[in-house]
Amino acid sequence: QVQLMESGGGSVQTGGSLRLSCDVSRYTASTFCIGWIRQAPGKEREGVAAVDSDGNTKYADSVKGRFTISHDRAKNTLYLQMNSLKAEDTAMYYCAIVPGVSVVAAQALVDYGLKGQGTQVTVSS
């Protein structure tokens, strides 16, 4: 069974930075969309950033200019560099993957993507 393992969450102050990592070494599909989704208490799950197997990226408007997604294929690791963190970024962050789609269909990560256990990000003032 494919497993996605997230790491890198933690507690930071407003304006701080964190880098999330996701081990995707057990996923071997040649075409896919992979990315990060998050869910804050009492809110619906939402897409944060995605990258597909062609290297195309997509970001939620709320994180554009602050977050950067990258996929290191040599290390089989997905990253999310988060800068200028805000209190509203506080959430559980999940790595998710969907085979056979591009970032155009990144919503699929939220709707039915294979997800990891998540890593908590807490931003406080």
Side-chain angles (χ1 to χ4, degrees):
Q1 184 176 356
V2 175
Q3 292 182 337
L4 302 174
M5 301 289 289
E6 303 97 337
S7 62
S11 296
V12 296
Q13 292 188 327
T14 301
S17 298
L18 284 173
R19 188 175 79 158
L20 307 183
S21 301
C22 178
D23 178 2
V24 298
S25 59
R26 297 190 181 189
Y27 194 81
T28 59
S30 58
T31 60
F32 52 83
C33 180
I34 190 168
W36 296 91
I37 64 175
R38 66 187 181 186
Q39 187 166 24
K43 294 187 177 181
E44 293 187 355
R45 197 169 287 178
E46 64 174 352
V48 176
V51 58
D52 62 25
S53 45
D54 288 332
N56 302 301
T57 58
K58 185 176 183 179
Y59 294 90
D61 288 342
S62 59
V63 306
K64 283 181 181 177
R66 301 188 297 122
F67 290 12
T68 302
I69 190 170
S70 59
H71 180 208
D72 187 330
R73 294 206 182 201
K75 296 183 178 180
N76 289 310
T77 303
L78 179 72
Y79 300 100
L80 184 68
Q81 178 66 44
M82 305 186 294
N83 299 327
S84 301
L85 283 161
K86 305 176 180 179
E88 51 263 43
D89 294 319
T90 295
M92 184 71 79
Y93 284 70
Y94 301 89
C95 175
I97 191 165
V98 176
V101 303
S102 72
V103 291
V104 174
Q107 180 64 28
L109 293 173
V110 177
D111 295 338
Y112 57 85
L114 175 68
K115 302 172 183 64
Q117 295 296 311
T119 185
Q120 177 68 37
V121 172
T122 302
V123 185
S124 58
S125 57

